[in-house]
Coordinates of all heavy atoms in Angstrom, one line a residue:
M1 N -38.8 2.1 15.5 CA -37.5 2.4 16.1 C -36.7 3.3 15.2 O -36.5 3.0 14.1 CB -36.8 1.1 16.4 CG -35.6 1.3 17.4 SD -34.6 -0.2 17.6 CE -35.7 -1.2 18.6
T2 N -36.1 4.3 15.7 CA -35.2 5.3 15.0 C -33.9 4.6 14.9 O -33.5 3.7 15.7 CB -35.2 6.6 15.5 OG1 -34.4 6.6 16.7 CG2 -36.5 7.2 15.9
E3 N -33.1 5.1 14.0 CA -31.7 4.7 13.9 C -30.9 4.9 15.1 O -30.1 4.1 15.6 CB -31.0 5.4 12.7 CG -30.1 4.5 12.0 CD -29.6 5.0 10.6 OE1 -30.6 5.2 9.7 OE2 -28.5 5.2 10.4
A4 N -31.1 6.1 15.7 CA -30.4 6.4 16.9 C -30.8 5.5 18.1 O -30.0 5.0 18.8 CB -30.8 7.8 17.4
E5 N -32.0 5.1 18.2 CA -32.5 4.1 19.1 C -31.9 2.8 18.9 O -31.5 2.1 19.9 CB -34.0 4.0 19.2 CG -34.7 5.2 19.9 CD -36.2 5.1 19.7 OE1 -36.7 4.5 18.7 OE2 -37.0 5.7 20.5
F6 N -31.7 2.4 17.6 CA -31.2 1.1 17.3 C -29.7 1.1 17.7 O -29.2 0.1 18.2 CB -31.4 0.8 15.8 CG -30.8 -0.5 15.4 CD1 -31.6 -1.7 15.7 CD2 -29.6 -0.6 14.8 CE1 -31.0 -2.9 15.4 CE2 -29.1 -1.9 14.5 CZ -29.8 -3.0 14.8
A7 N -29.0 2.2 17.3 CA -27.6 2.3 17.6 C -27.3 2.2 19.1 O -26.5 1.6 19.6 CB -27.0 3.6 17.1
E8 N -28.2 2.8 19.9 CA -28.2 2.8 21.4 C -28.4 1.4 21.9 O -27.6 0.9 22.8 CB -29.2 3.8 22.0 CG -29.5 3.7 23.4 CD -28.3 4.1 24.3 OE1 -27.4 4.7 23.8 OE2 -28.3 3.7 25.5
L9 N -29.4 0.7 21.3 CA -29.6 -0.6 21.7 C -28.5 -1.6 21.4 O -28.1 -2.5 22.2 CB -30.9 -1.1 21.0 CG -31.6 -2.4 21.5 CD1 -32.2 -2.2 22.9 CD2 -32.7 -2.8 20.5
D10 N -27.8 -1.3 20.3 CA -26.8 -2.2 19.8 C -25.5 -2.0 20.6 O -24.8 -2.9 20.9 CB -26.5 -1.9 18.3 CG -25.8 -3.0 17.7 OD1 -26.2 -4.2 17.9 OD2 -24.8 -2.8 17.0
S11 N -25.3 -0.7 21.0 CA -24.0 -0.4 21.7 C -24.2 -0.7 23.2 O -23.2 -0.8 24.0 CB -23.5 1.0 21.4 OG -24.5 1.9 21.9
N12 N -25.4 -0.7 23.6 CA -25.7 -0.9 25.1 C -26.8 -1.9 25.2 O -27.9 -1.5 25.7 CB -26.0 0.6 25.7 CG -26.0 0.5 27.2 OD1 -25.5 -0.5 27.8 ND2 -26.5 1.6 27.8
P13 N -26.7 -3.1 24.9 CA -27.7 -4.0 24.8 C -28.3 -4.4 26.2 O -27.6 -4.6 27.2 CB -27.1 -5.3 24.1 CG -25.6 -5.2 24.3 CD -25.4 -3.7 24.5
P14 N -29.7 -4.4 26.3 CA -30.3 -4.9 27.5 C -30.1 -6.3 27.7 O -29.7 -7.1 26.8 CB -31.8 -4.6 27.2 CG -31.9 -4.6 25.7 CD -30.6 -4.2 25.2
A15 N -30.3 -6.8 28.9 CA -30.0 -8.2 29.3 C -30.7 -9.2 28.4 O -30.1 -10.2 28.0 CB -30.5 -8.5 30.7
W16 N -32.0 -8.9 28.0 CA -32.7 -10.0 27.2 C -32.0 -10.2 25.8 O -31.9 -11.2 25.3 CB -34.1 -9.6 27.0 CG -34.4 -8.2 26.3 CD1 -34.7 -7.0 26.8 CD2 -34.4 -7.9 24.9 NE1 -34.8 -6.1 25.9 CE2 -34.6 -6.6 24.6 CE3 -34.2 -8.8 23.7 CZ2 -34.7 -6.0 23.3 CZ3 -34.2 -8.2 22.5 CH2 -34.5 -6.8 22.3
L17 N -31.4 -9.0 25.3 CA -30.8 -9.1 24.0 C -29.4 -9.9 24.2 O -29.1 -10.7 23.3 CB -30.6 -7.7 23.5 CG -30.0 -7.7 22.0 CD1 -30.8 -8.5 21.0 CD2 -29.8 -6.3 21.5
L18 N -28.7 -9.6 25.2 CA -27.5 -10.4 25.5 C -27.7 -11.8 25.6 O -26.9 -12.6 25.0 CB -26.7 -9.8 26.8 CG -26.1 -8.5 26.6 CD1 -25.6 -8.1 28.1 CD2 -25.0 -8.5 25.6
Q19 N -28.8 -12.2 26.3 CA -29.1 -13.5 26.5 C -29.4 -14.2 25.2 O -29.0 -15.3 25.0 CB -30.3 -13.7 27.5 CG -30.7 -15.0 27.9 CD -29.5 -15.6 28.7 OE1 -29.0 -15.0 29.6 NE2 -29.2 -16.9 28.3
S20 N -30.2 -13.5 24.4 CA -30.6 -14.2 23.1 C -29.3 -14.3 22.2 O -29.2 -15.2 21.4 CB -31.7 -13.3 22.4 OG -31.3 -12.7 21.3
R21 N -28.4 -13.3 22.3 CA -27.1 -13.5 21.5 C -26.4 -14.6 22.0 O -25.8 -15.4 21.2 CB -26.4 -12.2 21.6 CG -26.9 -11.1 20.7 CD -26.0 -9.9 20.8 NE -26.6 -8.8 20.0 CZ -26.2 -7.5 20.0 NH1 -25.2 -7.2 20.7 NH2 -26.7 -6.7 19.2
A22 N -26.3 -14.8 23.3 CA -25.5 -15.9 23.9 C -26.1 -17.3 23.5 O -25.4 -18.2 23.1 CB -25.5 -15.8 25.4
N23 N -27.4 -17.4 23.6 CA -28.1 -18.6 23.1 C -27.8 -18.9 21.6 O -27.5 -20.0 21.3 CB -29.6 -18.5 23.3 CG -30.0 -18.6 24.7 OD1 -29.2 -19.0 25.6 ND2 -31.2 -18.1 25.0
R24 N -27.8 -17.9 20.9 CA -27.5 -18.1 19.4 C -26.1 -18.6 19.2 O -25.9 -19.5 18.4 CB -27.9 -16.8 18.7 CG -28.0 -17.1 17.2 CD -28.5 -15.9 16.5 NE -29.1 -14.9 17.2 CZ -28.9 -13.6 17.1 NH1 -28.3 -13.1 16.0 NH2 -29.5 -12.7 17.8
S25 N -25.2 -18.0 19.9 CA -23.7 -18.5 19.7 C -23.6 -19.9 20.2 O -22.8 -20.7 19.7 CB -22.7 -17.6 20.2 OG -22.9 -17.4 21.6
K26 N -24.2 -20.3 21.3 CA -24.2 -21.6 21.8 C -24.7 -22.7 20.9 O -24.3 -23.8 20.8 CB -24.9 -21.7 23.2 CG -23.9 -22.1 24.3 CD -24.7 -22.1 25.7 CE -24.8 -20.7 26.2 NZ -25.7 -20.6 27.4
T27 N -25.8 -22.4 20.2 CA -26.5 -23.3 19.3 C -25.9 -23.2 17.9 O -26.4 -24.0 17.1 CB -28.0 -23.1 19.3 OG1 -28.2 -21.8 18.9 CG2 -28.6 -23.4 20.7
A28 N -25.1 -22.2 17.7 CA -24.5 -22.1 16.3 C -23.8 -23.4 15.9 O -23.2 -24.1 16.7 CB -23.5 -20.9 16.2
R29 N -23.9 -23.7 14.6 CA -23.3 -25.0 14.2 C -21.8 -24.8 14.3 O -21.3 -23.9 13.8 CB -23.7 -25.2 12.7 CG -25.0 -26.0 12.6 CD -25.3 -26.5 11.2 NE -24.4 -27.6 10.9 CZ -24.1 -28.0 9.6 NH1 -24.6 -27.3 8.6 NH2 -23.4 -29.0 9.4
P30 N -21.2 -25.8 14.8 CA -19.7 -25.8 14.9 C -19.2 -26.0 13.5 O -19.8 -26.5 12.6 CB -19.3 -27.0 15.8 CG -20.5 -27.9 15.7 CD -21.7 -27.0 15.5
V31 N -17.9 -25.5 13.3 CA -17.3 -25.6 12.1 C -16.6 -27.1 12.0 O -15.8 -27.3 12.8 CB -16.3 -24.6 11.8 CG1 -15.6 -24.7 10.4 CG2 -16.9 -23.2 12.0
W32 N -17.0 -27.8 11.0 CA -16.3 -29.1 10.9 C -15.5 -29.2 9.5 O -15.8 -28.5 8.6 CB -17.5 -30.2 10.7 CG -18.2 -30.4 12.0 CD1 -19.3 -29.6 12.4 CD2 -17.9 -31.3 13.1 NE1 -19.7 -30.0 13.6 CE2 -18.9 -31.1 14.0 CE3 -17.1 -32.3 13.2 CZ2 -19.0 -31.8 15.2 CZ3 -17.0 -33.0 14.4 CH2 -18.1 -32.8 15.3
I33 N -14.4 -29.9 9.6 CA -13.7 -30.0 8.4 C -13.5 -31.5 8.1 O -13.7 -32.4 9.0 CB -12.2 -29.4 8.5 CG1 -11.4 -30.0 9.6 CG2 -12.4 -27.9 8.6 CD1 -10.0 -29.7 9.4
T34 N -13.2 -31.9 6.9 CA -13.0 -33.3 6.6 C -11.4 -33.5 6.5 O -10.8 -32.8 5.8 CB -13.6 -33.7 5.2 OG1 -15.0 -33.4 5.3 CG2 -13.5 -35.1 4.9
L35 N -11.0 -34.5 7.3 CA -9.6 -34.9 7.3 C -9.5 -36.1 6.3 O -10.3 -37.0 6.5 CB -9.1 -35.3 8.7 CG -9.3 -34.3 9.8 CD1 -8.9 -34.9 11.1 CD2 -8.4 -33.1 9.6
T36 N -8.7 -36.1 5.4 CA -8.5 -37.2 4.4 C -7.1 -37.7 4.4 O -6.2 -36.9 4.3 CB -8.9 -36.8 3.0 OG1 -10.2 -36.2 3.1 CG2 -9.0 -37.9 2.1
C37 N -7.0 -39.0 4.6 CA -5.6 -39.6 4.6 C -5.1 -39.5 3.2 O -5.7 -39.9 2.2 CB -5.7 -41.0 5.0 SG -4.2 -42.0 4.8
D38 N -3.8 -39.0 3.0 CA -3.2 -38.9 1.7 C -2.6 -40.3 1.2 O -2.2 -40.3 0.1 CB -2.1 -37.9 1.8 CG -2.7 -36.5 1.8 OD1 -3.4 -36.2 0.9 OD2 -2.4 -35.7 2.8
I39 N -2.6 -41.3 2.1 CA -2.1 -42.5 1.7 C -3.3 -43.5 1.3 O -3.2 -44.0 0.1 CB -1.3 -43.2 2.8 CG1 -0.1 -42.3 3.1 CG2 -1.0 -44.6 2.5 CD1 0.7 -42.8 4.3
C40 N -4.3 -43.6 2.1 CA -5.4 -44.6 1.7 C -6.7 -43.9 1.3 O -7.6 -44.6 0.9 CB -5.6 -45.6 2.8 SG -6.3 -45.0 4.2
G41 N -6.8 -42.6 1.6 CA -8.1 -41.9 1.3 C -9.1 -42.0 2.3 O -10.2 -41.5 2.2
Y42 N -8.8 -42.6 3.4 CA -9.8 -42.7 4.6 C -10.1 -41.3 5.0 O -9.2 -40.5 5.0 CB -9.2 -43.5 5.7 CG -10.0 -43.5 7.0 CD1 -11.2 -44.2 7.1 CD2 -9.6 -42.6 8.0 CE1 -11.9 -44.2 8.3 CE2 -10.4 -42.6 9.2 CZ -11.5 -43.3 9.3 OH -12.2 -43.2 10.5
S43 N -11.3 -41.0 5.3 CA -11.7 -39.7 5.7 C -12.5 -39.6 7.0 O -13.2 -40.6 7.3 CB -12.3 -38.8 4.7 OG -13.5 -39.2 4.3
E44 N -12.4 -38.6 7.7 CA -13.1 -38.4 9.0 C -13.5 -36.9 9.1 O -12.7 -36.1 8.6 CB -12.1 -38.9 10.1 CG -12.4 -38.4 11.5 CD -11.3 -38.8 12.4 OE1 -10.7 -39.8 12.3 OE2 -10.9 -37.9 13.1
T45 N -14.5 -36.7 9.8 CA -15.0 -35.3 10.0 C -14.5 -34.9 11.4 O -14.7 -35.7 12.3 CB -16.5 -35.2 9.8 OG1 -16.9 -35.8 8.6 CG2 -16.9 -33.8 9.8
A46 N -14.0 -33.8 11.5 CA -13.5 -33.3 12.8 C -13.6 -31.9 13.0 O -13.8 -31.1 12.1 CB -11.9 -33.7 12.9
R47 N -13.6 -31.5 14.3 CA -13.5 -30.1 14.7 C -12.2 -29.6 14.6 O -11.3 -30.2 15.4 CB -14.1 -29.8 16.1 CG -15.6 -30.1 16.4 CD -16.4 -29.0 15.8 NE -16.1 -27.6 16.3 CZ -16.6 -27.1 17.4 NH1 -17.4 -27.7 18.2 NH2 -16.3 -25.9 17.7
P48 N -11.9 -28.7 13.8 CA -10.4 -28.2 13.7 C -10.1 -27.5 15.1 O -10.9 -26.9 15.6 CB -10.4 -27.3 12.6 CG -11.8 -26.9 12.3 CD -12.7 -28.0 12.8
K49 N -8.9 -27.8 15.5 CA -8.4 -27.2 16.7 C -7.6 -25.9 16.3 O -7.0 -25.8 15.3 CB -7.4 -28.1 17.5 CG -8.1 -29.4 17.9 CD -9.0 -29.2 19.0 CE -9.5 -30.6 19.6 NZ -10.3 -31.3 18.6
K50 N -7.7 -24.9 17.3 CA -7.0 -23.6 17.0 C -5.5 -23.8 16.7 O -4.8 -23.1 16.0 CB -7.1 -22.6 18.1 CG -8.5 -22.0 18.1 CD -8.5 -20.7 18.9 CE -9.9 -20.1 18.9 NZ -10.9 -20.9 19.7
W51 N -4.9 -24.8 17.4 CA -3.4 -24.9 17.3 C -3.0 -25.8 16.1 O -1.7 -25.9 15.9 CB -2.9 -25.6 18.6 CG -3.6 -26.9 19.0 CD1 -4.6 -27.1 19.8 CD2 -3.2 -28.2 18.5 NE1 -4.9 -28.5 19.8 CE2 -4.1 -29.2 19.0 CE3 -2.2 -28.7 17.6 CZ2 -3.9 -30.6 18.8 CZ3 -2.1 -30.1 17.4 CH2 -2.9 -31.0 18.0
W52 N -3.9 -26.3 15.4 CA -3.5 -27.0 14.1 C -2.8 -26.1 13.2 O -3.3 -25.1 12.8 CB -4.7 -27.7 13.5 CG -5.2 -28.9 14.2 CD1 -4.8 -29.3 15.5 CD2 -6.3 -29.7 13.9 NE1 -5.6 -30.4 15.8 CE2 -6.6 -30.6 14.8 CE3 -7.1 -29.7 12.7 CZ2 -7.5 -31.6 14.7 CZ3 -8.1 -30.7 12.6 CH2 -8.3 -31.6 13.6
P53 N -1.6 -26.5 12.7 CA -0.9 -25.7 11.6 C -1.6 -26.1 10.3 O -2.5 -26.9 10.3 CB 0.5 -26.2 11.8 CG 0.5 -27.6 12.4 CD -0.8 -27.6 13.2
Q54 N -1.1 -25.6 9.3 CA -1.5 -26.0 7.9 C -0.8 -27.2 7.6 O 0.5 -27.2 7.6 CB -1.1 -24.9 7.0 CG -1.5 -25.1 5.5 CD -3.1 -25.1 5.4 OE1 -3.7 -24.2 5.9 NE2 -3.6 -26.0 4.6
F55 N -1.5 -28.4 7.4 CA -0.7 -29.6 7.2 C -0.4 -29.8 5.7 O -1.2 -29.4 4.8 CB -1.7 -30.8 7.6 CG -2.0 -30.8 9.1 CD1 -3.3 -30.6 9.5 CD2 -1.0 -30.9 10.0 CE1 -3.7 -30.6 10.8 CE2 -1.3 -30.9 11.4 CZ -2.6 -30.7 11.8
S56 N 0.9 -30.3 5.5 CA 1.3 -30.7 4.2 C 0.6 -32.0 3.7 O 0.1 -32.1 2.6 CB 2.8 -30.8 4.1 OG 3.4 -29.7 4.6
Y57 N 0.5 -32.9 4.7 CA -0.1 -34.2 4.5 C -0.9 -34.6 5.7 O -0.5 -34.2 6.8 CB 0.8 -35.3 4.2 CG 1.7 -35.0 2.9 CD1 3.0 -34.6 3.0 CD2 1.1 -35.3 1.6 CE1 3.7 -34.4 1.8 CE2 1.9 -35.1 0.5 CZ 3.1 -34.6 0.6 OH 3.8 -34.4 -0.6
L58 N -1.9 -35.5 5.5 CA -2.5 -36.2 6.7 C -2.4 -37.7 6.4 O -2.5 -38.1 5.2 CB -4.0 -35.7 6.8 CG -4.2 -34.3 7.4 CD1 -5.6 -33.9 7.1 CD2 -4.0 -34.3 8.9
S59 N -2.2 -38.4 7.4 CA -2.2 -39.8 7.3 C -2.8 -40.5 8.5 O -2.8 -39.9 9.6 CB -0.8 -40.4 6.9 OG -0.2 -41.0 8.1
C60 N -3.4 -41.7 8.3 CA -3.9 -42.4 9.5 C -2.7 -42.7 10.3 O -1.5 -42.9 9.8 CB -4.5 -43.8 9.0 SG -5.7 -43.6 7.7
S61 N -2.9 -42.8 11.6 CA -1.7 -43.0 12.5 C -1.1 -44.4 12.3 O 0.1 -44.6 12.8 CB -2.2 -42.8 13.9 OG -3.4 -43.6 14.2
H62 N -1.7 -45.3 11.7 CA -1.2 -46.7 11.5 C -0.2 -46.8 10.3 O 0.4 -47.8 10.1 CB -2.3 -47.8 11.5 CG -3.2 -47.6 10.4 ND1 -2.9 -48.1 9.1 CD2 -4.5 -47.0 10.3 CE1 -4.0 -47.8 8.3 NE2 -4.9 -47.2 9.0
H63 N -0.2 -45.8 9.4 CA 0.7 -45.8 8.3 C 2.1 -45.5 8.7 O 2.3 -44.8 9.7 CB 0.3 -44.8 7.2 CG -1.1 -45.2 6.6 ND1 -1.4 -46.3 6.0 CD2 -2.2 -44.4 6.4 CE1 -2.6 -46.3 5.5 NE2 -3.1 -45.1 5.8
D64 N 3.0 -46.0 7.9 CA 4.4 -45.6 7.9 C 4.6 -44.3 7.2 O 4.2 -44.1 6.2 CB 5.3 -46.7 7.4 CG 5.4 -48.0 8.3 OD1 5.4 -47.8 9.5 OD2 5.3 -49.0 7.7
I65 N 5.5 -43.5 7.9 CA 5.6 -42.1 7.4 C 6.3 -42.1 6.0 O 6.0 -41.4 5.2 CB 6.5 -41.3 8.4 CG1 6.5 -39.8 8.0 CG2 7.9 -41.9 8.5 CD1 5.3 -39.1 8.4
W66 N 7.1 -43.2 5.7 CA 7.7 -43.1 4.4 C 6.9 -43.6 3.2 O 7.3 -43.6 2.1 CB 9.0 -44.0 4.4 CG 8.8 -45.4 4.9 CD1 8.4 -46.5 4.2 CD2 9.1 -45.9 6.2 NE1 8.3 -47.6 5.0 CE2 8.7 -47.3 6.3 CE3 9.6 -45.4 7.4 CZ2 8.8 -48.1 7.4 CZ3 9.7 -46.1 8.6 CH2 9.3 -47.5 8.5
E67 N 5.6 -43.9 3.5 CA 4.6 -44.1 2.4 C 4.2 -42.8 1.8 O 3.6 -42.8 0.7 CB 3.4 -44.8 3.0 CG 3.7 -46.2 3.5 CD 2.4 -46.9 3.9 OE1 1.4 -47.0 3.2 OE2 2.4 -47.4 5.1
L68 N 4.5 -41.7 2.5 CA 4.3 -40.4 1.8 C 5.4 -39.9 1.0 O 6.6 -40.4 1.2 CB 4.1 -39.3 3.0 CG 2.7 -39.5 3.8 CD1 2.7 -38.6 5.1 CD2 1.5 -39.0 2.9
P69 N 5.1 -39.0 0.1 CA 6.3 -38.4 -0.7 C 7.3 -37.8 0.3 O 6.9 -37.2 1.3 CB 5.6 -37.5 -1.7 CG 4.1 -37.7 -1.6 CD 3.9 -38.5 -0.3
D70 N 8.5 -37.7 -0.2 CA 9.5 -37.0 0.6 C 9.2 -35.5 0.6 O 8.6 -35.0 -0.3 CB 10.9 -37.2 0.0 CG 11.4 -38.6 0.2 OD1 11.0 -39.2 1.2 OD2 12.2 -39.1 -0.6
P71 N 9.6 -34.8 1.7 CA 9.4 -33.4 1.7 C 10.3 -32.7 0.6 O 11.3 -33.3 0.2 CB 10.0 -33.0 3.1 CG 10.7 -34.1 3.6 CD 10.2 -35.4 2.9
A72 N 9.9 -31.6 0.1 CA 10.6 -30.9 -0.9 C 12.0 -30.5 -0.3 O 12.2 -30.4 0.9 CB 9.9 -29.6 -1.2
P73 N 13.1 -30.4 -1.2 CA 14.4 -30.1 -0.7 C 14.5 -28.9 0.1 O 13.8 -27.9 -0.1 CB 15.2 -29.9 -2.0 CG 14.4 -30.6 -3.1 CD 13.0 -30.5 -2.6
G74 N 15.1 -29.0 1.3 CA 15.3 -27.8 2.1 C 14.2 -27.7 3.2 O 14.3 -26.9 4.1
L75 N 13.2 -28.6 3.1 CA 12.1 -28.5 4.1 C 12.3 -29.6 5.2 O 12.8 -30.8 4.8 CB 10.8 -28.7 3.5 CG 10.3 -27.6 2.5 CD1 8.9 -27.8 2.0 CD2 10.3 -26.2 3.2
A76 N 12.1 -29.3 6.4 CA 12.1 -30.4 7.5 C 10.7 -30.8 7.7 O 9.8 -30.1 7.7 CB 12.7 -29.7 8.8
R77 N 10.6 -32.0 8.0 CA 9.3 -32.7 8.2 C 9.0 -32.9 9.7 O 9.8 -33.3 10.4 CB 9.2 -34.1 7.5 CG 7.9 -34.8 7.7 CD 7.7 -35.8 6.7 NE 7.2 -35.2 5.4 CZ 7.0 -35.9 4.3 NH1 7.1 -37.2 4.3 NH2 6.6 -35.3 3.2
E78 N 7.8 -32.5 10.1 CA 7.4 -32.6 11.5 C 6.1 -33.4 11.5 O 5.2 -33.1 10.6 CB 7.2 -31.2 12.0 CG 6.9 -31.1 13.5 CD 6.5 -29.7 14.0 OE1 6.9 -28.7 13.2 OE2 6.0 -29.6 15.0
E79 N 6.0 -34.4 12.4 CA 4.8 -35.1 12.6 C 4.1 -34.7 13.7 O 4.7 -34.6 14.9 CB 5.1 -36.7 12.7 CG 5.7 -37.3 11.4 CD 6.2 -38.7 11.8 OE1 5.3 -39.4 12.2 OE2 7.4 -39.0 11.6
I80 N 2.8 -34.6 13.7 CA 2.0 -34.2 14.8 C 0.9 -35.2 15.0 O 0.0 -35.4 14.2 CB 1.4 -32.7 14.6 CG1 2.5 -31.7 14.3 CG2 0.6 -32.3 15.7 CD1 2.1 -30.5 13.7
D81 N 1.0 -35.9 16.2 CA 0.1 -36.9 16.5 C -1.2 -36.4 17.0 O -1.2 -35.2 17.6 CB 0.7 -37.9 17.5 CG 1.7 -38.8 17.0 OD1 1.6 -39.2 15.9 OD2 2.7 -39.0 17.7
G82 N -2.2 -37.1 17.0 CA -3.5 -36.7 17.7 C -4.3 -35.8 17.0 O -5.0 -35.0 17.5
I83 N -4.3 -35.9 15.6 CA -5.2 -35.0 14.8 C -6.5 -35.7 14.6 O -6.5 -36.9 14.0 CB -4.4 -34.6 13.5 CG1 -3.1 -34.0 13.7 CG2 -5.4 -33.7 12.7 CD1 -3.0 -32.8 14.6
G84 N -7.6 -35.2 15.0 CA -8.8 -35.9 14.9 C -8.7 -37.2 15.8 O -8.0 -37.2 16.7
A85 N -9.4 -38.2 15.4 CA -9.5 -39.4 16.1 C -8.3 -40.3 15.8 O -7.8 -41.1 16.6 CB -10.8 -40.1 15.9
S86 N -7.9 -40.3 14.5 CA -6.9 -41.3 14.1 C -5.9 -40.8 13.1 O -5.4 -41.5 12.3 CB -7.6 -42.5 13.5 OG -8.6 -42.1 12.6
F87 N -5.6 -39.6 13.1 CA -4.7 -39.1 12.1 C -3.4 -38.4 12.7 O -3.3 -38.0 13.8 CB -5.4 -37.9 11.3 CG -6.3 -38.4 10.2 CD1 -7.7 -38.6 10.6 CD2 -5.9 -38.6 8.9 CE1 -8.6 -39.1 9.6 CE2 -6.8 -39.0 8.0 CZ -8.1 -39.3 8.4
V88 N -2.4 -38.5 11.8 CA -1.2 -37.8 12.1 C -1.1 -36.6 11.0 O -1.3 -36.9 9.9 CB 0.0 -38.8 12.0 CG1 1.4 -38.0 12.2 CG2 -0.1 -39.9 12.9
G89 N -0.7 -35.5 11.5 CA -0.5 -34.4 10.6 C 0.9 -34.3 10.2 O 1.8 -34.4 11.1
I90 N 1.3 -34.0 9.0 CA 2.6 -33.8 8.6 C 2.8 -32.4 8.1 O 2.1 -32.0 7.3 CB 3.0 -34.9 7.5 CG1 3.2 -36.3 8.1 CG2 4.3 -34.5 6.8 CD1 2.0 -37.1 8.1
V91 N 3.8 -31.8 8.6 CA 4.1 -30.4 8.2 C 5.5 -30.3 7.7 O 6.4 -30.6 8.4 CB 3.9 -29.4 9.4 CG1 4.1 -28.0 9.0 CG2 2.5 -29.5 10.0
D92 N 5.6 -29.9 6.5 CA 7.0 -29.7 5.9 C 7.2 -28.2 5.9 O 6.5 -27.5 5.3 CB 7.0 -30.3 4.4 CG 6.8 -31.7 4.4 OD1 7.1 -32.4 5.4 OD2 6.4 -32.3 3.3
R93 N 8.2 -27.8 6.5 CA 8.6 -26.4 6.5 C 10.1 -26.1 6.7 O 10.8 -27.0 7.1 CB 7.8 -25.6 7.6 CG 8.0 -26.1 8.9 CD 7.2 -25.3 10.0 NE 6.8 -26.1 11.1 CZ 5.8 -25.8 11.9 NH1 5.0 -25.0 11.6 NH2 5.6 -26.6 13.0
Ligands
ZN101 ZN1 -4.8 -44.0 5.7

């Protein structure tokens, strides 16, 4: 195959190639991250969601929020429930 033929195939892929690319992306390993509680160290593996912000802390949902260090001066703390199966995400900003 010449380079020109390859470029043509790549920019205008035939059905069999599209199908094989689709199969590959479907079977691609999902990205997993480990969520770790900053209070007790419990951890869980989860698929990160696109809407998750960058968390300052993570804690199990059964902990009290004041078990975590206070936010830095000038930062407001926001709690986001429903992170993974049993976590609350804390964002200080
Ligand atoms: Zn915990």
Side-chain angles (χ1 to χ4, degrees):
M1 192 187 284
T2 68
E3 210 165 304
E5 280 169 340
F6 181 80
E8 166 65 18
L9 192 66
D10 200 47
S11 62
N12 193 11
W16 63 263
L17 185 57
L18 284 177
Q19 189 59 47
S20 110
R21 283 180 180 172
N23 286 343
R24 200 172 336 146
S25 63
K26 243 179 276 171
T27 57
R29 272 191 76 199
V31 180
W32 293 84
I33 61 162
T34 302
L35 304 171
T36 304
C37 173
D38 286 306
I39 295 172
C40 72
Y42 171 79
S43 70
E44 163 190 313
T45 313
R47 289 287 304 272
K49 303 284 190 297
K50 283 201 181 69
W51 55 267
W52 288 4
Q54 183 69 44
F55 298 116
S56 307
Y57 298 102
L58 284 165
S59 103
C60 309
S61 53
H62 61 83
H63 294 305
D64 289 318
I65 188 78
W66 54 81
E67 293 181 55
L68 287 167
D70 286 333
L75 295 183
R77 176 159 287 178
E78 187 184 343
E79 293 172 55
I80 301 161
D81 287 325
I83 305 302
S86 52
F87 281 87
V88 179
I90 286 92
V91 182
D92 295 338
R93 58 182 153 205

